[in-house]
């Protein structure tokens, strides 16, 4: 065997000497650091909120924080009671609601909704036109009774009296003014077979420990009340975001543990097979696990918790960091096979392979750190933690692993298998055959391989413009593998009981006082009421025409005039005098003025029109198109109360004055609805029932300083949420804009941030690639070769995603800058070993084999994400694993072919 060896660099020789002399100190220090970091890492939690992917000063997150500070937690807990008996459900529900009210972690509990105020004041909630119509029907009822008393043949007037009675029955009034449907007494559906208790916890559903504890304790409390004693088929359920978060986080945690365990097992098996011994498992994995634990401990100190994108950073770092250990250990093994002493083998390895490993590792780490420039925390947090993990893994592979190898060699020498005869001795540089020249045969195979790779790359690159982005983030949150059938979110039966729109992604306008709340409420109510054509007129700068004129009975004037003419033609002379007197009542100027007020109110209040005129026309159209419903304290306070009270007082006076002309039977019938006429004072927000006020009272105890509204369309779809974001970011009031906060406002900001950050990160990553190559190879040619190799692999990847119909999303785009660093690492190792003077066969057999192994382990690392039942994380794992495989093909197939062709051309 030749004693020739590569030139040993002085720093490498000194480091090798230190490792050989102080292996125990190095190992003990690493273990201590790893143990401390592991204690911190075990405290890491996962924040699955999308807002965690944006910086704290992002507009949407700042407003969500302001909303939380003003209103506290906005998530609801729903407890469902289900059985065939409505009576049993209500009895148990009342008992459970009383028990829940004793719990300090619940801000309020709603079950029975007291409707007394609303029933007593029902006529104040009717439209003014309807009250004017009711007044006229009372007048007509009294007129019909007088006619019957005055008629020569009273039986001829019986039909008119009966019709008047029907129009004034309690049943007709309750139906006309929606007394039974406007405000239900309980949250129930399916004819009472399902009733719901609604509660507002003090802590948000994102506090996973709180959510899990609350979920468990409420379930235990319900069971302790023995629901089967109320009905043998009664079941209790817990629904809403608290239950969903508990299920989701628990599932993700299980996926992480299962995926990590499987990845570690496969890595151990791969190492044992590649190095043909179990010792390699300890040599590679122990330093790597210390490095990964230290990176997670760093994340705990710096961030406190991981976001959804960085949740699988453990398995990713295993795949990234193991590359360095494999390259270094493979070179150590090869040098030992050549018969070198351990100290000498370590020195040679640190001077050669460790140098290219260091270059590749620094490139990958710098690429990761460059992600910190992104505002998108899915990039920045992942990049920082991954960068720290890569550097620590690099340190472990270059320092800790050789120290561990020295210790194990002293305890029990590692008997590596002998290398094949052709690889036992590598000739000295001066003894090696010259590079192929143009005088040799044409390298047709290399030309074919290179040409095929470039043609496929060109075809793939031509399709990159057709690669779409997944704008519906809701699809990314879907499970990969179908499970036991559960109602899709938004379709659970309990939502029908509490009001489907009130359970799904509201937006909240924050105001300074009740005057601002009233301005916002009136604008949204007007947009909700107006038609699309009317809003188009306003958007064009026009004024809405007034509705048709109405008479003092709230009826269109034309119809009233026709009815009056027909009636006059059929009456006798003595009746005409009575009708004229009554017609004077119907034409009372005070009530004609009230009718005109009702007409103007039904059109658009001038103050509201002035506020709506402040919005650009296109924005106003979008506001109307996307608005679904709204709620504020003014949803429960009637409008035009003084005008309505004037009508009610007139009706009450007429009944009292004319009661003498009514029979006892008629008076008894009127008694059923006369209580509705007892209202004699307007209702203010402070008069509302406790169950209403508590829902609109903020943390400071102030009532009514916000408006909640719901919008149309899927909020997880960027295209829809972007429209809503642009239309409703602020709402005008006379005192200034009222800011709007909504959890789904983070979605357009996330996508817009990725759009801005993506090209910058890719450009910086490519710059780092070129810079590292220039420093290592001291020439632009080598840098361009490496850049071209990585670009070719990424083009293939884009074409593959297009061919499979996959879309880019905010999970898998993070793979592209990482692939630049990891793909460069492969190309650097091949080119660096080739430029050492090694023949390509040796390069591919030794370095190529190590690259194959590192690619396999990286693919296994990212493959751990396949076990996450989450399409977004699955797409990241698939994209990274596919990209690494294509980087392998580009580096060990196309790059060697290109180098062969370049050598041939250079020789010619």
């Amino acid at each position: 065997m030749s004693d020739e060896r590569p030139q040993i660099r002085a720093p490498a020789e000194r480091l090798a000497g230190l490792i050989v002399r102080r292996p125990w100190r190095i190992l003990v220090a690493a273990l201590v650091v790893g143990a401390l970091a592991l204690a911190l890492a075990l405290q890491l939690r996962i924040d699955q909120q999308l807002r965690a992917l944006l910086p704290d000063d992002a507009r949407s997150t700042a407003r969500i924080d302001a909303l939380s500070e003003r209103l506290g937690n906005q998530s609801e807990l729903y407890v469902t009671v289900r059985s065939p008996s409505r009576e049993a459900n209500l009895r148990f529900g009342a008992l459970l609601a009383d028990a829940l009210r004793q719990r300090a972690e619940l801000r309020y509990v709603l079950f029975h909704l007291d409707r007394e105020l609303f029933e007593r004041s029902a006529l104040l909630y009717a439209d003014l036109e309807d009250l004017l119509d009711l007044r006229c029907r009372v007048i007509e009822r009294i007129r019909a009774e007088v006619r019957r008393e005055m008629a020569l043949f009273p039986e001829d007037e019986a039909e008119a009296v009966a019709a008047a009675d029907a129009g004034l029955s309690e049943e007709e009034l309750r139906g006309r003014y929606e007394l039974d449907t406007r405000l239900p007494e309980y949250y129930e559906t399916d004819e009472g077979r399902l009733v719901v208790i609604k509660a507002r916890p003090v802590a948000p559903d994102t506090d996973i420990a709180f959510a899990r504890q609350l979920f468990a304790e409420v379930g235990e409390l319900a069971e302790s009340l023995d629901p089967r004693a109320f009905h043998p088929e009664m079941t209790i359920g817990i629904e809403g975001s608290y239950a969903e978060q508990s299920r989701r986080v628990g599932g993700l945690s299980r996926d992480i543990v299962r995926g990590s365990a499987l990845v570690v097992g496969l890595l151990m098996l791969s190492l044992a097979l590649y190095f043909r011994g179990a010792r390699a498992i300890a040599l590679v994995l122990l330093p790597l696990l210390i490095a990964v634990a230290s990176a997670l401990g760093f994340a705990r100190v710096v961030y406190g918790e991981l976001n959804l994108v960085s949740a699988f950073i453990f398995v990713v770092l295993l795949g990234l960091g193991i590359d360095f250990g494999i390259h270094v250990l493979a070179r150590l093994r090869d040098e030992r096979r050549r018969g070198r002493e351990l100290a000498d083998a370590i020195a040679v390895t640190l001077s050669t392979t460790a140098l290219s490993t260091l270059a590749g590792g620094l490139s990958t780490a710098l690429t990761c750190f460059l992600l910190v420039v992104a505002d998108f925390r899915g990039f920045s947090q992942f990049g920082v933690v991954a960068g720290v993990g890569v550097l620590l893994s690099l340190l472990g592979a270059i320092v800790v692993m050789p120290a561990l190898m020295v210790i194990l060699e002293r305890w029990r020498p590692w008997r590596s298998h002998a290398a094949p005869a052709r690889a036992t001795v590598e000739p000295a540089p001066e003894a090696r055959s010259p590079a192929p020249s143009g005088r040799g045969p044409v390298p047709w195979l290399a030309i074919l391989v290179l040409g095929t790779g470039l043609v496929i790359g060109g075809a793939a690159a031509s399709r990159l413009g057709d690669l779409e982005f997944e704008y519906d983030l809701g699809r990314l949150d879907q499970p990969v593998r179908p499970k036991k059938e559960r109602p899709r979110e938004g379709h659970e039966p309990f939502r029908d009981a509490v009001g489907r729109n009130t359970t799904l992604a509201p937006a909240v306008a924050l105001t300074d006082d009740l005057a601002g709340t009233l301005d916002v409420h009136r604008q949204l109510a007007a947009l909700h009421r107006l038609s699309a054509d009317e809003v188009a007129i306003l958007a064009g700068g026009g004024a809405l025409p007034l509705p048709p004129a109405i008479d003092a009975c709230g009826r269109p004037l034309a119809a009233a005039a026709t009815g009056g003419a027909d009636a006059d033609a059929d009456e006798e002379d003595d009746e005409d005098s009575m009708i004229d007197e009554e017609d004077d009542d119907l034409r009372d100027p005070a009530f004609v003025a009230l009718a005109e007020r009702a007409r103007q109110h039904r059109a658009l209040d001038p103050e509201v029109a002035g506020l709506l005129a402040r919005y650009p026309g296109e924005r106003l159209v979008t506001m109307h198109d996307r608005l679904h419903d709204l709620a504020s304290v003014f949803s429960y306070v009637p409008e035009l109360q003084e005008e309505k009270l004037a009508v009610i007082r007139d009706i009450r006076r007429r009944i009292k004055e004319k009661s003498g002309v009514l029979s006892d039977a008629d008076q008894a019938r009127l008694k059923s609805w006369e209580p509705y006429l007892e209202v004699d004072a307007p209702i203010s927000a402070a008069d509302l029932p406790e169950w209403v006020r508590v829902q609109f009272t903020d943390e400071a105890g102030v009532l009514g300083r916000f408006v909640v509204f719901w919008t149309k369309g899927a909020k997880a779809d960027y295209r829809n949420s972007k429209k809503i974001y642009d239309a409703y970011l602020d709402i005008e009031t006379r005192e200034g804009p009222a800011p709007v906060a909504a959890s789904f406002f983070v979605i357009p900001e996330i996508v817009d941030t990725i759009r801005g950050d993506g090209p910058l990160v890719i450009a910086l990553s490519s710059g780092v690639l070129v810079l590292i190559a220039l420093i290592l190879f001291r020439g632009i040619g080598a840098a361009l070769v490496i850049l071209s190799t990585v670009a070719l692999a990424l083009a293939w990847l884009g074409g593959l995603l297009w061919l499979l119909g996959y879309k880019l999303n905010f999970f898998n785009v993070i793979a592209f800058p990482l692939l630049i660093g990891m793909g460069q690492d492969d190309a650097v190792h091949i080119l660096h070993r080739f430029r050492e003077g090694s023949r390509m066969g040796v390069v591919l057999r030794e370095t190529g084999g190590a690259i194959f192994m590192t690619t396999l382990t990286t693919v296994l690392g990212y493959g751990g994400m396949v076990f996450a039942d989450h399409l977004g994380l699955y797409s990241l794992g698939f994209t990274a694993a596919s990209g690494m495989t294509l980087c392998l093909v580009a580096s060990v197939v196309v790059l060697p072919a290109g180098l062969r062709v370049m050598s041939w051309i250079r020789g010619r």
Side-chain angles (χ1 to χ4, degrees), residues 311-593:
F312 270 76
I313 193 69
F314 177 78
V315 293
V316 172
L317 284 177
L318 286 179
L320 283 174
I322 201 171
D323 294 5
F324 314 129
I326 290 175
H327 278 296
V328 172
L329 184 60
R331 186 60 183 264
L332 279 171
R333 177 200 60 187
D334 293 338
E335 294 303 323
R336 292 285 281 159
R337 281 177 174 177
R338 294 186 178 100
R340 302 190 192 281
E341 294 297 327
L342 181 58
D344 196 29
I346 292 175
V348 170
T349 300
L350 293 180
S351 293
T352 54
T353 299
L355 187 61
S356 57
T357 299
L358 181 64
L362 289 177
S363 175
T364 302
L366 283 176
T367 301
C368 292
F369 284 130
L370 283 175
L371 295 176
V372 78
V373 304
D375 289 328
F376 179 55
R377 278 188 175 174
F379 284 165
S380 58
Q381 186 188 87
F382 186 99
V384 171
V385 178
V388 171
V390 167
L391 290 180
L392 293 175
S393 300
L394 194 60
L395 183 64
I398 294 176
V399 178
V400 179
M401 187 180 72
L404 181 60
M405 190 171 186
V406 170
I407 294 171
L408 293 179
E409 283 282 311
R410 292 174 180 175
W411 170 61
R412 185 176 180 183
W414 186 18
R415 296 177 181 177
S416 60
H417 293 269
R422 64 178 181 274
T424 302
V425 178
E426 186 172 346
E430 62 273 12
R432 293 172 187 143
S433 300
S437 70
R439 293 187 296 274
V442 178
W444 292 113
L445 180 60
I447 293 174
L448 177 63
V449 170
L450 178 62
T452 302
L454 293 177
V455 169
I456 296 174
S462 68
R463 290 296 183 180
L464 294 181
D466 299 327
L467 200 57
E468 299 181 18
F469 192 89
E470 179 57 80
Y471 288 107
D472 188 353
L473 273 62
R475 294 182 181 177
L476 301 179
D477 200 30
Q478 298 299 313
V480 179
R481 296 168 289 278
K483 296 182 179 179
K484 181 180 178 182
E485 189 68 22
R486 276 185 56 85
R488 189 161 58 90
E489 184 175 353
H491 294 265
E492 298 91 334
F494 82 91
R495 299 183 188 274
D496 293 321
V498 297
R500 184 167 298 279
N501 65 318
T502 66
T503 64
L504 299 173
V508 182
L510 299 175
T511 62
D512 294 329
D513 49 37
L514 285 175
T517 300
L518 183 59
D519 283 347
V520 174
H521 179 94
R522 293 172 71 190
Q523 289 178 77
L524 296 182
L527 288 173
H528 190 252
R529 184 180 73 249
L530 294 175
S531 68
D533 292 338
E534 291 172 324
V535 173
I537 294 173
L538 293 176
L544 294 181
L546 288 173
I550 57 176
D551 63 10
C553 294
R555 303 162 185 169
L557 280 176
T562 302
D566 292 341
D568 287 342
D570 295 332
E571 302 299 336
E572 299 294 336
D573 291 344
D574 56 344
E575 293 174 335
D576 285 342
S577 61
M578 184 272 299
I579 292 172
D580 289 340
E581 179 184 351
E582 297 291 352
D583 286 344
D584 288 340
D585 288 335
L586 298 179
R587 292 192 294 267
D588 187 322
F591 292 95
V592 171

Side-chain angles (χ1 to χ4, degrees), residues 53-86:
L53 299 175
L54 290 172
D56 292 333
D57 59 353
R59 182 152 48 180
S60 61
T61 57
R63 292 193 175 184
I64 290 173
D65 291 339
L67 176 64
S68 298
E69 183 178 354
R70 171 79 67 87
L71 304 182
N73 169 49
Q74 290 295 293
S75 300
E76 307 280 11
L77 176 74
Y78 301 99
V79 183
T80 62
V81 182
R82 184 191 295 272
S83 83
S85 170
R86 179 178 186 268

Side-chain angles (χ1 to χ4, degrees), residues 202-217:
V202 295
D205 56 9
T206 54
D207 186 338
I208 303 304
F210 174 85
R212 285 178 168 174
Q213 182 177 357
L214 181 64
F215 186 89
E217 291 181 357

